[in-house]
Amino acid sequence: MSSHREAPEISKDPVADNTDTYAFVSPDSPETVTIITNYLPAEVPAGGPTFFEFGNDVLYKIHIDNDGDGRSDIVYEFSFESAITNPNTFLYNTGPIGSLGDPNWNKRQFYSVTRVDRHGKDYNVKVLGEGLACPPCNIGPRSTPKYSALAQASMHSLPGGQTVFAGQRNDPFFVDIGSIFDLADLRPFQNLHLIPTAAAPGVDTLQTLNVHSIVVQIPISKLTVDGSVPTNVMSSKAVLGIWGSASRRKVRIADGANSEHSEVGPWVQVSRLAGPLFNEVMIPMSLKDEWNSRHPVDDADFLPHVQHPELAKLLPVLYPKVFPNLEALSASREDLVAIFLTGLPAGVVPGFQNSTGKVLAEMLRLNVAVPPAGEPNVLGIIGGDLAGYPNGRRVIDDVTTIALRAVAGVTYPLVQKSYKPDAAAGAITQGITPLPFRSQATFPYLAAPHDGYDFPSSTA
Amino acid sequence: MKKLRRRSILKTGVGAPAALPAVGRAPHAAADGTSRRAFLEGGAGAAAGAAMILVTPKVASVALDAASPSASADSAAVVTKPSGPAPHEPVTAYVRNAERGEVTVMSGKQETTYRDPVLVKRLLDAAR
């Protein structure tokens, strides 16, 4: 969760595993949009001796659809390469790393950023940056004593008022994975489960674990279909479809002679992610990797899993007599179709829409005309905060609670006013209060990664 | 049946002889520049690499013919030790469907499937 190791094949390929995607109007720079795609799930901070890095053989992409057809109109591509400066040491660093150019730092990574614009049948390809340095992983007080300075130096300006960062951060996604995947153990009614347990507080599973993040901040005018900065929430031009992906070459040849490998063939998409929990909760295990390989424009093929989600059928079974109205609900879940596949049309939530039309495509849909919230509500739109999920997704949004409540029926009255959600549906909570250090207010909006000395295990 | 020439196999798609009808080509932005799907699947990553790689098989095939005039002949394969590590982006072929005589050739970021029963038979013979 939200897309950590969510499919059988991608779970074996962490550097290509897209764990979360975020997209929001930057709270401290509201003329821009910030997009974050995270990879490498559940990095234990004590990751020596090699620690973690992006895949040099993976093509990372951020896609933007600005005309509602479920296809990429703008793609940001990120390619990485590593360098070992001292081939004679086993160490990641041979002394404190004081700067990005410090000779003590042995294993480094650099990347390029390329923007591809589609104009009808033509493509405009522009390299925005090359040789951009990633920060080191956060090792500990002896090796990375001034980590924030290293991270700050890794924030690069790109042409056109754009900013990029790529490197290790604390994983901001807060969820009790152990509880949810133990047969949907939900709070506050653990004692009402078919296999009851005593009430217990939620556990923020990823709290001390890290992730590798690509963060790019882009002026809104560089993303909209006509280059405008929309101010009318009801304008279709204000809605952007956004998702991330990772691709590998089709063939990899391991060559024992030199311990390296060769690659050939076209790029093949192995991971994608837009809305949180979609692949986890909606798509059956047998189809998860196929879903990862497909593109949003193909998502009509998965429509039945959204119209009749398995979890909505499971909840009344796992919690007898707790979800009677949900149990009786057999109609197609058009509320979930709107949330995940088309966006919310005008007239459903007063003063808001993020519809991209009739094309069924699983994308984050961000209405850029909605300004950042002064006092954000972690429950986003269902909490009355139009700047939060499912209007894009902010780092602070409690998407697990939102998604569970939605599947449990809270959002069905949006399309069928006579439906009365079960009281339990609106009471579902994770029982987690994320600690303040789980995010930060300024770019890259993700908190510094935990270091391996102070957080030697995930239970620290 | 027209004899198979190694050089023709090394060429990728463009100018493929009649004996090697291309039955499928992977979408590729640089190759046709028109397909929306190609944009989704290829993008600039594909475009950037393709120009470089398209040259490689031609160079290799010319060098092969020059070094060994008999290479074009339909001679039996000879088991040999690899002369070095695998190249950076080796031209790679695999039998996609033996019964239909389909072989897929990848070069750089391009992929083309040919119907070539002669080549498929030779590959299968070599695999025994």
Side-chain angles (χ1 to χ4, degrees), chain A residues 196 360 401 439:
Chain A
L360 300 170
T401 296
S439 61

Side-chain angles (χ1 to χ4, degrees), chain A residues 91-106:
Chain A
L91 290 166
Y92 185 85
N93 54 294
T94 53
I97 302 173
S99 70
L100 296 182
D102 196 314
N104 287 334
W105 184 15
N106 185 35

Side-chain angles (χ1 to χ4, degrees), chain A residues 26-160:
Chain A
S26 313
D28 55 340
S29 181
E31 72 284 3
T32 68
V33 164
T34 297
I35 303 173
I36 303 170
T37 51
N38 286 346
Y39 299 86
L40 277 146
E43 293 178 16
V44 176
T50 54
F51 294 91
F52 298 91
E53 63 181 11
F54 291 99
N56 297 326
D57 48 5
V58 175
L59 180 62
Y60 300 91
K61 295 183 182 180
I62 290 172
H63 306 254
I64 296 100
D65 167 25
N66 60 21
D67 59 9
D69 63 0
R71 301 174 189 271
S72 311
D73 296 298
I74 301 166
V75 178
Y76 284 78
E77 298 187 339
F78 304 84
S79 297
F80 293 81
E81 64 178 325
S82 299
I84 292 177
T85 56
N86 181 351
N88 300 314
T89 180
F90 73 93
L91 290 166
Y92 185 85
N93 54 294
T94 53
I97 302 173
S99 70
L100 296 182
D102 196 314
N104 287 334
W105 184 15
N106 185 35
K107 186 165 175 274
R108 308 167 186 223
Q109 195 165 40
F110 303 88
Y111 63 103
S112 64
V113 183
T114 301
R115 172 167 163 147
V116 185
D117 286 73
R118 175 167 64 88
H119 302 287
K121 295 178 180 178
D122 298 322
Y123 305 92
N124 182 25
V125 180
K126 184 175 183 181
V127 177
L128 299 178
E130 292 181 294
L132 305 172
C134 298
C137 290
N138 199 358
I139 312 301
R142 295 166 191 79
S143 298
T144 47
K146 297 178 179 176
Y147 193 82
S148 60
L150 296 170
Q152 187 66 38
S154 305
M155 297 172 200
H156 304 286
S157 295
L158 301 175

Side-chain angles (χ1 to χ4, degrees), chain A residues 294-311:
Chain A
R294 305 280 288 274
H295 302 284
V297 71
D298 298 327
D299 282 337
D301 294 345
F302 302 94
L303 178 61
H305 303 295
V306 183
Q307 291 175 317
H308 302 282
E310 180 184 10
L311 182 59

Side-chain angles (χ1 to χ4, degrees), chain A residues 77 121 123 249-250 255 262 265, chain B residues 33 35 39 45 86-87 89 108 111:
Chain A
E77 298 187 339
K121 295 178 180 178
Y123 305 92
R249 302 292 291 279
K250 194 160 190 174
D255 192 339
S262 301
Chain B
S35 164
F39 181 64
E89 288 188 315
E111 177 186 49

